[in-house]
Amino acid sequence: MKIGRNDQCPCGSGKKYKKCCLPLQASARQSPVDAQQVAGSARSESAFAALQPEGSGSATDESQFWDEYGIASVDARIDILRRVVEEEKEFDGELAYELLVDVVVPLQHMGRLEDADAALDLVRERQPGAYRDQASWFDEWRVENALLAGRDIEGPLLEFASRPEANVDGFFRVMDRLLYHGRTEALLVALGPAWIALKDSPDITERAKQRIQRVAVDVVVDHQLSLDPSAAECAPELFEQIASIVGRDRAQVDESFEHRVRGGERHWRGEDFGSGTDRRDDVLLLLVMDFSRLLFSRDDWPPSRANLAAHEIGWYLASTASTPNRAQPGRSSQRRRGKRRREKDRSSNQFLLAPTAPSADRYVVDLIDPINPRPTRAATFYEALPPWIDFLVRQSLIPETQGPQLTRQVIRRLAPLSGLLERLSADPVMQGNVRRIQEAYM
C-alpha cells in the first residue's frame, strides 16, 4: 500500500510521513541518469497540472505528480519547482517544504551548494509567506550549506537561532555540527538568542537545557584558553556572553577552567567506580573530562570536538549502566567477601567502562533513528571509540592485551555506519574521518 505524503509515518512517530522518514529517503536516493532527466521533464508537464486550481485536483492526479517528481532528476525537479513557485496560486509552506526537500538535500550530496541556496532564495523571494511558514527548516539547510562551502556562517546561523523553538531537533543538529568543526565563535554568538527562545519552551527537556548550558561553558573556556593558554579564569567580557545562559554564578565556569588547567593528572583505579552510588556518576564525569583533555592535548582534536566526544562517551556509559539485562562477566550467584569480592568488583567496573560491540551498536542505531537522526553525534562516538579504549588501557582500567581486540570487534560491528552517514549527511570531513577509522581496523 502506498503511503501518502500527508499520512502518519509508519515508523510510529505520530508525525506526517513528509516530515519524518520521507526526507531520509530523499537523501538516500541517487540522481537518475541524463536520459531519465529528459523523460522526467517531459512527464512533469502533465503532472504539474494536478497542482493547478483549474485541474481535476483528484488524489490520483496529485499522487501521480509526486511519483513522477520523485523519479525525476534533480535538475528536472528544479525546473518543476521554478514553475510551481511562479504559477501555483495556493502555494503554502507545506508545499514549499515538500518540493524543496527533494531538491536541496540531493544538491548538498552532489556538492552543488550554490544551486541549493538558489532554490531556497527562489522560494523566499517569490513566495515569502510560504518560506516564513517553514523558515526553521530552510534556515537549517542554509547553515549546512555555508558550513559545507566554508563560507561565513554567522548570518544564516543568527537567522536560524532567532526561532529554534520551531525546529528544536534541528537546532541541536546544527550545534553538534559547529562543535565538530570547531566553529565555536559563531556558536557562541548564536547561543544567546537561541537560549531566550528555548529556555521556556515546552518542547525542550531539562536535560537538553542543561546541555546548552554545558556547551556554553565549554565554548567560552576553550575560547579563552585559545587566546591566553596560561589563563586561570574566564575573562569578564567572555563571561558576560554566557551569563544569561548559565546565570551569574561562575562556579561552573571556574570548575571547567580548573579541569582544563589541571585535568589529566589523575590516575584512576577500578575501585573508584563503586556501583550503585551517586559518587560513581561524579567520578565518571571526571573520567570523561580527562579523556577530552587527552584528545585535544595529545591527539590534536579541536577542543570542541574533544568535548563533544567526551560527552558522547559519557552518555553511552550512562545508557549501558541503565540497561537492566546487561551481562556482567564473572558475576557469582553467591555473595563473597575479602579478596574474591574485590576482584569481582574490579572486573565489573572494568566491564562498565569498556564498550562492547552489541551495546555500541544499539547506541548508534538510536542516534541514526529516522525520527530524529543525529549523524554528527554518531560519527563523533565512532571516532572516539578507539582512543577511549586506548585511554582505558593506559589507565589500567582494562587489560592491555584486551585493548586491540576490543577495538577491532567494536569497529567491525559498526562497519555499516559509513554507508549510513553518506546518506544522512553530506559532510565530507566527517565521512572521511569515519572511513579512515574503518580502514585502520577492518
Side-chain angles (χ1 to χ4, degrees), residues 175-342:
M175 186 171 73
D176 292 336
R177 288 282 293 278
L178 296 176
L179 291 171
Y180 185 89
H181 288 282
R183 303 296 294 270
T184 53
E185 289 188 45
L187 178 58
L188 191 58
V189 172
L191 281 176
W195 178 253
I196 294 174
L198 290 175
K199 63 180 180 179
D200 296 322
S201 172
D203 297 325
I204 184 170
T205 65
E206 285 302 317
R207 179 181 174 183
K209 293 176 184 178
Q210 291 169 7
R211 189 186 172 211
I212 294 175
Q213 292 176 316
R214 169 53 63 183
V215 166
V217 170
D218 289 343
V219 166
V220 78
V221 170
D222 290 335
H223 184 56
Q224 172 75 37
L225 291 176
S226 69
L227 298 175
D228 181 9
S230 63
E233 61 180 8
C234 182
E237 60 272 18
L238 286 178
F239 179 76
E240 285 301 315
Q241 287 187 268
I242 62 168
S244 63
I245 301 175
V246 299
R248 294 290 169 177
D249 184 3
R250 293 187 52 148
Q252 194 175 14
V253 180
D254 293 338
E255 177 187 347
S256 185
F257 258 102
E258 176 73 10
H259 162 70
R260 291 293 191 278
V261 175
R262 302 187 59 183
E265 299 175 356
R266 289 177 284 263
H267 183 74
W268 298 95
R269 302 174 303 168
E271 292 84 351
D272 294 329
F273 307 94
S275 60
T277 65
D278 293 337
R279 181 178 179 273
R280 185 180 66 179
D281 295 337
D282 296 336
V283 173
L284 282 174
L285 176 61
L286 292 175
L287 180 70
V288 296
M289 290 176 71
D290 278 0
F291 171 60
S292 73
R293 189 176 189 276
L294 176 72
L295 288 177
F296 67 75
S297 63
R298 190 197 71 181
D299 296 345
D300 296 325
W301 283 45
S304 57
R305 190 187 303 176
N307 289 330
L308 184 62
H311 289 304
E312 208 61 59
I313 291 292
W315 291 323
Y316 163 73
L317 294 176
S319 72
T320 56
S322 63
T323 302
N325 295 325
R326 193 179 190 204
Q328 303 255 354
R331 179 179 292 276
S332 173
S333 60
Q334 301 177 354
R335 297 181 61 87
R336 302 182 183 275
R337 299 181 183 274
K339 182 177 179 181
R340 175 63 176 168
R341 177 64 180 272
R342 289 193 297 273

Side-chain angles (χ1 to χ4, degrees), residues 400-442:
E400 183 176 358
T401 55
Q402 293 183 10
Q405 180 183 2
L406 180 59
T407 303
R408 286 193 297 271
Q409 288 176 348
V410 175
I411 295 302
R412 289 176 180 177
R413 178 66 173 263
L414 300 179
L417 180 62
S418 178
L420 290 170
L421 284 176
E422 288 182 1
R423 294 196 293 270
L424 290 171
S425 173
D427 190 330
V429 175
M430 190 166 64
Q431 292 174 4
N433 289 340
V434 169
R435 282 196 296 267
R436 277 190 290 274
I437 292 174
Q438 286 191 336
E439 293 168 358
Y441 293 98
M442 292 296 288

Side-chain angles (χ1 to χ4, degrees), residues 87-159:
E87 300 176 25
E88 171 59 29
K89 297 178 181 178
E90 298 181 3
F91 194 94
D92 59 13
E94 289 197 5
L95 179 57
Y97 179 87
E98 292 169 7
L99 291 167
L100 281 170
V101 70
D102 282 340
V103 169
V104 174
V105 174
L107 287 174
Q108 288 178 333
H109 284 265
M110 297 166 68
R112 295 170 56 181
L113 303 174
E114 291 185 2
D115 289 340
D117 279 331
L120 292 165
D121 290 339
L122 173 67
V123 175
R124 182 164 62 178
E125 293 168 4
R126 300 293 186 178
Q127 298 286 351
Y131 187 94
R132 284 193 299 272
D133 186 51
Q134 301 289 327
S136 61
W137 298 91
F138 302 153
D139 289 345
E140 181 183 357
W141 288 335
R142 286 187 182 278
V143 175
E144 290 179 357
N145 292 343
L147 188 60
L148 290 170
R151 301 193 303 262
D152 175 65
I153 62 173
E154 190 167 310
L157 182 59
L158 283 174
E159 276 193 68

